[in-house]
Amino acid sequence: MNGHPFDLDLLRAFAAVADCGGFTAAAGRLNSTQSTVSQKVLRLEEQAGHRLLERSHRQVRLTEAGEQLIGYARRMLALDAEARQLLSGASVAATLRLGLPEDFAAGRTTRMLSAFARRHDNVRLEVTSGLSRELRSLYDRSELDIVVVKQRRGSGEAVQRWQENLCWIDSAAHPVLALDPLPLVVFPPRGLYRDDMVAALDASGRRWRVSYTSSSLASIQSAVADGLGISLLPARVVHDRHRVVKPQDGLPMIETMEIGLYYRPEAGALVTRLAEDLSALIGDDSRDEEPSTEMS
């Protein structure tokens, strides 16, 4: 690593490749050529003294050093854009970067975010929806200012925590609970609730098989509703095509998960205000989401 400051033009090329997942798409975004973008990344790697990208025919991935640098690169580019806006006489908009699990990124949450944006018209909200482990990783790399994640109880030092109310759900029209082995609709390995489902069924001696796997919440909901299997989901996402499985049906209650809200209090007043609005919303949802035994 030499003592010269990073070149913003090189950082911009690096960030574009990281965002686009390849040099060709990054060149299109930057209105440049693939070779030019590649040369800029090579020059940045020389400045950094580290290889920042792993290149292959199929994909381009960040190295460990690249993951460390990308958050700083984006912040430096954002500050540069704000400085240019200020000097041009334009009003500078603060950017708040929020991460939400898929089942939070709709309905009451989007209405709350819209109201927040109207109250703070100098704020630009950037909302990322995804898997909790990915959101937490982005937050840890300072690429998000505030995140809501699902986690095992007591597993993280969240600013606030709430119990995640889970329930087993079956199809209202095509129930499969009586089948042996019991078909399961699940998220991919390491996905939320999958291990809990399997452990609970094994402990109860119930035979099971995975009948449907998806990383999409909407797909999981539809698969259950259409009779492909049962699943374990938050009470907030149960709808009228589902039937909540009763305790007397023999499936154990699972209370291993919680919702965690993470933000850095020193990030500023706007982050704190958004965190307060999210906290109020999640608190209301947690009180309202005690699962009923039937959905009609």
Coordinates of all heavy atoms in Angstrom, one line a residue, residues 161-208:
R161 N -34.7 -6.0 20.4 CA -35.1 -7.3 20.0 C -36.6 -7.5 20.2 O -37.1 -7.0 21.2 CB -34.3 -8.4 20.7 CG -32.9 -8.4 20.5 CD -32.3 -9.7 21.2 NE -30.8 -9.7 21.1 CZ -30.0 -9.4 22.1 NH1 -30.6 -9.0 23.3 NH2 -28.7 -9.5 22.0
W162 N -37.2 -8.4 19.4 CA -38.6 -8.8 19.6 C -38.7 -10.3 19.3 O -38.0 -10.8 18.4 CB -39.6 -8.0 18.6 CG -39.6 -6.6 18.9 CD1 -40.5 -5.8 19.6 CD2 -38.7 -5.6 18.3 NE1 -40.2 -4.5 19.5 CE2 -39.1 -4.3 18.7 CE3 -37.6 -5.7 17.4 CZ2 -38.5 -3.1 18.3 CZ3 -37.0 -4.5 17.0 CH2 -37.4 -3.3 17.5
Q163 N -39.6 -10.9 20.0 CA -39.9 -12.3 19.7 C -40.5 -12.5 18.3 O -41.4 -11.7 18.0 CB -40.8 -13.0 20.7 CG -41.1 -14.4 20.5 CD -42.0 -15.0 21.5 OE1 -41.8 -14.7 22.7 NE2 -42.9 -15.9 21.2
E164 N -40.0 -13.4 17.6 CA -40.6 -13.7 16.2 C -41.7 -14.8 16.4 O -41.3 -16.0 16.8 CB -39.5 -14.2 15.3 CG -40.0 -14.6 13.9 CD -40.5 -13.5 13.0 OE1 -41.4 -12.8 13.4 OE2 -39.9 -13.3 11.9
N165 N -42.9 -14.5 16.2 CA -44.0 -15.5 16.4 C -44.1 -16.3 15.2 O -44.5 -15.9 14.1 CB -45.3 -14.7 16.7 CG -45.3 -14.0 18.0 OD1 -44.8 -14.5 19.0 ND2 -45.8 -12.8 18.0
L166 N -43.8 -17.6 15.3 CA -43.8 -18.6 14.2 C -45.0 -19.5 14.3 O -45.5 -19.8 15.5 CB -42.5 -19.4 14.2 CG -41.2 -18.6 14.1 CD1 -40.0 -19.6 14.2 CD2 -41.2 -17.8 12.8
C167 N -45.5 -20.0 13.2 CA -46.5 -21.0 13.3 C -46.4 -22.0 12.1 O -45.8 -21.6 11.0 CB -47.9 -20.4 13.2 SG -48.2 -19.2 11.9
W168 N -46.8 -23.2 12.3 CA -46.8 -24.2 11.2 C -48.1 -23.9 10.4 O -49.1 -23.6 10.9 CB -47.0 -25.6 11.8 CG -45.8 -26.1 12.6 CD1 -45.7 -26.1 13.9 CD2 -44.7 -26.8 12.1 NE1 -44.5 -26.6 14.3 CE2 -43.9 -27.1 13.2 CE3 -44.2 -27.2 10.8 CZ2 -42.6 -27.8 13.1 CZ3 -43.0 -27.9 10.7 CH2 -42.2 -28.1 11.8
I169 N -47.9 -23.9 9.1 CA -49.1 -23.7 8.2 C -49.2 -24.8 7.2 O -48.2 -25.4 6.7 CB -49.0 -22.3 7.5 CG1 -47.7 -22.2 6.6 CG2 -49.0 -21.2 8.5 CD1 -47.7 -21.0 5.7
D170 N -50.5 -25.1 6.9 CA -50.8 -26.1 5.9 C -51.7 -25.4 4.8 O -52.1 -24.2 5.0 CB -51.6 -27.2 6.6 CG -51.7 -28.5 5.7 OD1 -51.3 -28.5 4.6 OD2 -52.2 -29.5 6.3
S171 N -52.1 -26.1 3.8 CA -53.0 -25.6 2.8 C -54.4 -25.6 3.3 O -54.8 -26.6 3.9 CB -52.9 -26.3 1.5 OG -53.9 -26.0 0.6
A172 N -55.2 -24.5 3.1 CA -56.6 -24.6 3.5 C -57.4 -25.4 2.6 O -58.3 -26.1 3.0 CB -57.2 -23.1 3.5
A173 N -57.1 -25.5 1.3 CA -57.8 -26.2 0.3 C -57.3 -27.6 0.1 O -58.1 -28.5 -0.2 CB -57.8 -25.5 -1.0
H174 N -56.0 -27.8 0.2 CA -55.4 -29.1 0.0 C -54.5 -29.5 1.1 O -53.3 -29.6 0.9 CB -54.7 -29.1 -1.4 CG -55.4 -28.5 -2.5 ND1 -56.5 -29.2 -3.1 CD2 -55.3 -27.3 -3.1 CE1 -57.0 -28.4 -4.1 NE2 -56.3 -27.3 -4.1
P175 N -55.0 -29.8 2.3 CA -54.1 -30.1 3.4 C -53.3 -31.4 3.2 O -53.8 -32.3 2.6 CB -55.1 -30.2 4.6 CG -56.4 -30.5 3.9 CD -56.4 -29.8 2.6
V176 N -52.1 -31.4 3.8 CA -51.2 -32.5 3.6 C -50.7 -33.0 5.0 O -49.9 -33.9 5.0 CB -50.0 -32.2 2.7 CG1 -50.5 -31.8 1.3 CG2 -49.2 -31.0 3.3
L177 N -51.2 -32.5 6.1 CA -50.7 -32.8 7.4 C -50.8 -34.3 7.7 O -49.9 -34.8 8.4 CB -51.4 -32.0 8.5 CG -50.9 -32.1 9.9 CD1 -49.5 -31.6 10.0 CD2 -51.8 -31.3 10.8
A178 N -51.7 -35.0 7.1 CA -51.9 -36.4 7.5 C -51.0 -37.3 6.7 O -51.0 -38.5 6.9 CB -53.4 -36.8 7.2
L179 N -50.3 -36.8 5.7 CA -49.4 -37.6 4.8 C -48.2 -38.1 5.6 O -47.7 -37.5 6.5 CB -49.0 -36.9 3.6 CG -50.1 -36.4 2.6 CD1 -49.4 -35.7 1.4 CD2 -50.9 -37.6 2.2
D180 N -47.8 -39.3 5.2 CA -46.6 -39.9 5.8 C -45.7 -40.5 4.7 O -46.2 -41.4 4.0 CB -47.0 -41.0 6.8 CG -45.8 -41.6 7.5 OD1 -44.8 -41.0 7.6 OD2 -45.9 -42.8 7.9
P181 N -44.5 -40.0 4.5 CA -43.9 -39.0 5.3 C -44.5 -37.6 5.0 O -45.1 -37.4 4.0 CB -42.4 -39.0 4.9 CG -42.5 -39.6 3.5 CD -43.6 -40.6 3.5
L182 N -44.3 -36.7 6.0 CA -44.9 -35.3 5.9 C -44.1 -34.5 4.9 O -42.8 -34.3 5.1 CB -44.8 -34.7 7.3 CG -45.4 -33.3 7.4 CD1 -46.9 -33.3 7.1 CD2 -45.2 -32.7 8.8
P183 N -44.7 -34.0 3.8 CA -44.0 -33.1 2.9 C -43.7 -31.7 3.5 O -44.6 -31.1 4.1 CB -44.9 -33.0 1.7 CG -46.2 -33.3 2.2 CD -46.1 -34.2 3.4
L184 N -42.5 -31.2 3.2 CA -42.1 -29.9 3.8 C -41.8 -29.0 2.7 O -41.1 -29.3 1.7 CB -40.9 -30.1 4.7 CG -41.0 -31.0 5.9 CD1 -39.6 -31.0 6.7 CD2 -42.1 -30.6 6.8
V185 N -42.2 -27.7 2.8 CA -41.8 -26.6 2.0 C -40.8 -25.8 2.7 O -41.2 -25.2 3.8 CB -43.1 -25.8 1.5 CG1 -42.6 -24.6 0.7 CG2 -44.0 -26.7 0.8
V186 N -39.6 -25.6 2.2 CA -38.5 -25.0 3.0 C -37.7 -24.0 2.2 O -37.7 -24.0 1.0 CB -37.6 -26.1 3.5 CG1 -38.3 -27.1 4.5 CG2 -36.9 -26.9 2.4
F187 N -37.0 -23.2 3.0 CA -36.0 -22.3 2.4 C -34.7 -23.2 2.2 O -34.6 -24.3 2.7 CB -35.6 -21.2 3.3 CG -36.7 -20.1 3.4 CD1 -37.6 -20.1 4.4 CD2 -36.8 -19.2 2.4 CE1 -38.6 -19.2 4.5 CE2 -37.8 -18.2 2.5 CZ -38.7 -18.2 3.5
P188 N -33.7 -22.7 1.4 CA -32.5 -23.5 1.1 C -31.8 -23.8 2.4 O -32.0 -23.2 3.4 CB -31.7 -22.6 0.1 CG -32.7 -21.7 -0.4 CD -33.8 -21.5 0.6
P189 N -30.8 -24.8 2.3 CA -29.9 -25.0 3.5 C -29.4 -23.7 4.0 O -29.0 -22.8 3.3 CB -28.8 -25.9 2.9 CG -29.5 -26.6 1.8 CD -30.4 -25.6 1.2
R190 N -29.4 -23.6 5.4 CA -29.0 -22.4 6.1 C -30.0 -21.4 6.0 O -29.8 -20.3 6.6 CB -27.6 -21.9 5.6 CG -26.4 -22.8 5.8 CD -25.2 -22.1 5.4 NE -24.9 -21.0 6.1 CZ -24.3 -19.8 5.6 NH1 -24.0 -19.8 4.4 NH2 -24.1 -18.8 6.4
G191 N -31.1 -21.6 5.4 CA -32.2 -20.6 5.3 C -33.0 -20.7 6.6 O -32.9 -21.6 7.4
L192 N -33.8 -19.6 6.8 CA -34.5 -19.5 8.1 C -35.5 -20.6 8.3 O -36.2 -21.1 7.4 CB -35.3 -18.1 8.1 CG -34.4 -16.9 8.2 CD1 -35.3 -15.7 8.0 CD2 -33.8 -16.8 9.5
Y193 N -35.5 -21.1 9.6 CA -36.5 -22.0 10.1 C -36.3 -23.5 9.6 O -36.9 -24.4 10.2 CB -37.9 -21.6 9.7 CG -38.2 -20.1 9.8 CD1 -38.8 -19.4 8.8 CD2 -37.8 -19.4 10.9 CE1 -39.1 -18.1 8.8 CE2 -38.0 -18.0 11.0 CZ -38.6 -17.4 9.9 OH -38.9 -16.0 10.0
R194 N -35.5 -23.7 8.6 CA -35.4 -25.1 8.0 C -34.8 -26.0 9.1 O -35.4 -27.1 9.3 CB -34.5 -25.0 6.8 CG -34.3 -26.4 6.2 CD -33.5 -26.4 4.9 NE -33.2 -27.7 4.3 CZ -33.2 -27.9 3.0 NH1 -33.5 -27.0 2.2 NH2 -32.9 -29.1 2.6
D195 N -33.7 -25.7 9.7 CA -33.1 -26.5 10.7 C -34.1 -26.8 11.9 O -34.2 -27.9 12.5 CB -31.8 -26.0 11.2 CG -30.7 -26.0 10.2 OD1 -30.9 -26.7 9.2 OD2 -29.7 -25.3 10.4
D196 N -34.8 -25.7 12.3 CA -35.8 -25.9 13.4 C -36.9 -26.8 13.1 O -37.3 -27.6 13.9 CB -36.4 -24.5 13.7 CG -35.3 -23.5 14.1 OD1 -35.0 -23.4 15.3 OD2 -34.8 -22.8 13.2
M197 N -37.4 -26.8 11.8 CA -38.4 -27.7 11.4 C -38.0 -29.1 11.5 O -38.6 -30.0 12.0 CB -38.9 -27.4 10.0 CG -39.5 -26.0 9.8 SD -39.7 -25.6 8.0 CE -40.9 -26.8 7.5
V198 N -36.8 -29.4 10.9 CA -36.3 -30.7 10.8 C -36.0 -31.3 12.3 O -36.4 -32.4 12.6 CB -35.0 -30.8 10.0 CG1 -34.3 -32.1 10.1 CG2 -35.3 -30.5 8.5
A199 N -35.4 -30.4 13.1 CA -35.1 -30.9 14.5 C -36.3 -31.2 15.3 O -36.4 -32.2 16.0 CB -34.3 -29.8 15.2
A200 N -37.4 -30.4 15.1 CA -38.6 -30.6 15.8 C -39.3 -31.9 15.4 O -39.8 -32.7 16.2 CB -39.5 -29.4 15.6
L201 N -39.3 -32.1 14.1 CA -40.0 -33.3 13.6 C -39.2 -34.6 13.9 O -39.8 -35.6 14.3 CB -40.1 -33.2 12.0 CG -41.1 -32.2 11.6 CD1 -41.1 -32.0 10.0 CD2 -42.5 -32.5 12.0
D202 N -37.9 -34.5 13.9 CA -37.0 -35.7 14.3 C -37.3 -36.0 15.8 O -37.4 -37.2 16.2 CB -35.6 -35.4 14.1 CG -35.2 -35.4 12.6 OD1 -36.0 -36.0 11.8 OD2 -34.1 -35.0 12.2
A203 N -37.4 -34.9 16.6 CA -37.6 -35.1 18.0 C -38.9 -35.8 18.3 O -39.1 -36.5 19.3 CB -37.4 -33.8 18.8
S204 N -39.9 -35.5 17.5 CA -41.2 -36.0 17.7 C -41.4 -37.4 17.1 O -42.5 -38.0 17.2 CB -42.3 -35.0 17.2 OG -42.2 -35.0 15.7
G205 N -40.4 -37.8 16.3 CA -40.5 -39.1 15.6 C -41.3 -39.1 14.4 O -41.7 -40.2 13.8
R206 N -41.6 -37.9 13.9 CA -42.4 -37.8 12.7 C -41.6 -37.9 11.4 O -40.5 -37.2 11.3 CB -43.2 -36.5 12.7 CG -44.1 -36.3 11.5 CD -45.4 -37.1 11.7 NE -46.3 -37.0 10.5 CZ -47.3 -36.1 10.5 NH1 -47.6 -35.3 11.5 NH2 -48.1 -36.1 9.4
R207 N -41.9 -38.8 10.5 CA -41.2 -38.9 9.2 C -41.5 -37.7 8.3 O -42.6 -37.3 8.3 CB -41.5 -40.2 8.5 CG -41.1 -41.5 9.3 CD -41.0 -42.7 8.4 NE -42.2 -42.8 7.6 CZ -42.2 -43.5 6.4 NH1 -41.1 -44.0 5.9 NH2 -43.3 -43.6 5.7
W208 N -40.5 -37.3 7.6 CA -40.7 -36.1 6.7 C -39.9 -36.3 5.5 O -38.9 -37.1 5.4 CB -40.3 -34.9 7.5 CG -38.9 -34.9 8.0 CD1 -38.5 -35.3 9.2 CD2 -37.7 -34.4 7.3 NE1 -37.1 -35.2 9.3 CE2 -36.6 -34.7 8.2 CE3 -37.5 -33.9 6.0 CZ2 -35.3 -34.4 7.8 CZ3 -36.2 -33.6 5.7 CH2 -35.1 -33.8 6.6

